Amino acid sequence: MNGRKAFQATVEDASDLDDGDGRKEHSDGDDDDDDALPAAQKKITDKLVIPPGDIGSLVATVVSEVLSGVLGKLGVTSVMGGDSESTVQTTKAAKKPDSSERLRMKAVVRRVYMDYCGIEQDLDWMGHQSVDKEVAQDFATGLNAGPDPEDLRFEMTTSVEKSYWNQKVVSILFDKVKEKCVREHGDIPLPADPDLRKLVVAKFNRSRVPWRKGQLRRDGNTVETEDARQKRLQEEYEKLNTGARARTRRANKFTRRKRVCTKELELCVDNSDKKVWTFLLGLLKTLGPEGMSSDESCTVGHETVYHVKILPWCREMEGYMDMIDEARLLDQDLYSGSGSKPGKRVRDPRLKSTRDAVKNLPCSLYNEKWFAELPEPRQTALSCSKQQFDWMYLIAKATQGRG
């Protein structure tokens, strides 16, 4: 009998244990000593049976498990070896995916949802047919086989945590994501299973908002007609698509500007110029894609004109962004004649963005007056970064291309 089995036995079970030759084990008259123990200690000893001569094995097992629990949280595994030696071996903790790897994994998750749920974009959730509640309940009690792996449907009225059906769907999608990652990105280490599973669950969690919008609405005893629902959904599609296009333009603008700054930094030889482009590149990276201004496009003649929306929360930096955009047009070393060019941009102080301010930025990047007028709870909610960002005042000057 090893230490672990003895640890699980109780006094009542011990009286029925076979000693190996067909005879039952009996007490040797130690009951009087047991009765002399304090009540609390007796309660503990009643739960343990330590076979004679096996105390060393029991202690080793307990010590090993305690070390495994404590050191495991630190990324260390305890290895018990030999008669009296113990060694500690570190194990490499699962690497947290960086931003590029995370984007790649999210793209795989999107494709798996498209292949097995028919969801190409979040808008498609509006028409997703939820599994019947009764079917999900039957699965929970073992009355049906559960989700069809080739036509997965969620129980949209509840969360993953509260639905055995949804948990099974997530497990199937998780396995498909892992298979696809190995098949398409086998040379890249997979993130830890919990991180990958979170991406699968997060996509479903986001789906419930558009799904609810797609359901027939009820106003008292009046139920929305199908025609009214289709019209409402069409308007919702157009609204969301407009927002999606705006986000794409902001992301493209950010990528283009960052590429210009990087290239200019590589080409410039003057130290003062290097400082300028280093500052501009750092400014872009700190603001991120959501820190780029939005715009509304229109066509004037044969030219597309973008009416820039002012960001009320953002520090004045229009001239800085203009320097980057102009560098792309003036410098022939940066881009060839093919490809799209930044369109004409018109700023109207009356046209202001209604998007929420980007959070976690250094305080120096917020509009000082705007920030001061915010109520204290909203100032706190911005969670201003403690990162120090030293502002550089620039004077724009006429430049000529290198070409």
Side-chain angles (χ1 to χ4, degrees), residues 123-315:
L123 293 175
D124 295 334
W125 286 106
M126 290 184 179
H128 183 73
Q129 185 179 358
S130 175
V131 69
D132 292 337
K133 186 176 181 180
E134 293 74 15
V135 174
Q137 289 177 341
D138 287 346
F139 169 69
T141 55
L143 297 180
N144 65 45
D148 177 3
E150 300 303 321
D151 183 23
L152 292 174
R153 289 189 293 152
F154 282 93
E155 186 182 4
M156 300 300 298
T157 56
T158 187
S159 65
V160 170
E161 293 76 13
K162 295 180 181 179
S163 169
Y164 289 110
W165 180 280
N166 286 347
Q167 290 171 21
K168 181 63 176 178
V169 173
V170 166
S171 295
I172 295 172
L173 291 173
F174 171 73
D175 291 337
K176 299 294 184 184
V177 168
K178 289 189 71 173
E179 291 173 8
K180 200 172 187 68
C181 285
V182 172
R183 187 167 60 249
E184 298 182 1
H185 307 286
D187 57 329
I188 302 173
L190 282 173
D193 283 359
D195 294 330
L196 202 56
R197 189 177 186 278
K198 283 179 182 178
L199 294 179
V200 177
V201 174
K203 185 164 181 64
F204 167 70
N205 289 340
R206 291 193 301 272
S207 74
R208 297 180 68 193
V209 173
W211 180 81
R212 290 192 190 100
K213 291 181 179 179
Q215 306 312 299
L216 289 172
R217 292 182 174 177
R218 182 185 297 272
D219 184 9
N221 295 326
T222 304
V223 179
E224 183 180 36
T225 65
E226 183 60 28
D227 288 343
R229 172 179 172 271
Q230 290 296 337
K231 181 180 179 181
R232 175 173 58 81
L233 290 184
Q234 184 60 36
E235 293 174 352
E236 190 68 30
Y237 269 105
E238 292 176 359
K239 178 181 177 182
L240 293 175
N241 276 326
T242 299
R245 287 194 297 269
R247 286 192 297 273
T248 300
R249 285 199 297 269
R250 289 197 298 271
N252 290 341
K253 186 187 301 182
F254 170 78
T255 301
R256 182 182 67 243
R257 286 172 170 172
K258 189 170 72 168
R259 189 162 58 239
V260 170
C261 288
T262 302
K263 188 65 176 177
E264 284 286 352
L265 190 56
E266 292 173 356
L267 295 175
C268 64
V269 293
D270 186 85
N271 284 335
S272 61
D273 288 344
K274 286 183 179 180
K275 290 180 180 179
V276 170
W277 288 108
T278 299
F279 167 78
L280 292 174
L281 181 59
L283 177 61
L284 279 174
K285 289 182 176 180
T286 304
L287 287 171
E290 288 304 304
M292 302 296 100
S293 59
S294 299
D295 47 52
E296 293 179 351
S297 61
C298 67
T299 302
V300 179
H302 298 287
E303 182 183 18
T304 300
V305 178
Y306 295 96
H307 294 271
V308 181
K309 293 183 178 180
I310 305 300
L311 298 175
W313 55 267
C314 190
R315 178 176 184 152

Side-chain angles (χ1 to χ4, degrees), residues 7-78:
F7 200 86
Q8 294 174 343
T10 63
V11 172
E12 292 76 16
D13 296 329
S15 64
D16 295 327
L17 293 177
D18 198 316
D19 65 359
D21 58 3
R23 295 175 297 171
K24 302 281 185 74
E25 291 183 348
H26 298 282
S27 171
D28 292 328
D30 292 332
D31 293 338
D32 293 337
D33 293 335
D34 189 54
D35 291 338
L37 292 172
Q41 186 175 349
K42 181 177 179 182
K43 184 175 181 180
I44 296 174
T45 56
D46 282 351
K47 298 298 180 183
L48 300 175
V49 173
I50 305 174
D54 209 22
I55 182 67
S57 175
L58 175 61
V59 171
T61 300
V62 173
V63 171
S64 177
E65 293 195 5
V66 170
L67 284 175
S68 296
V70 174
L71 298 178
K73 297 179 180 179
L74 303 175
V76 177
T77 301
S78 174

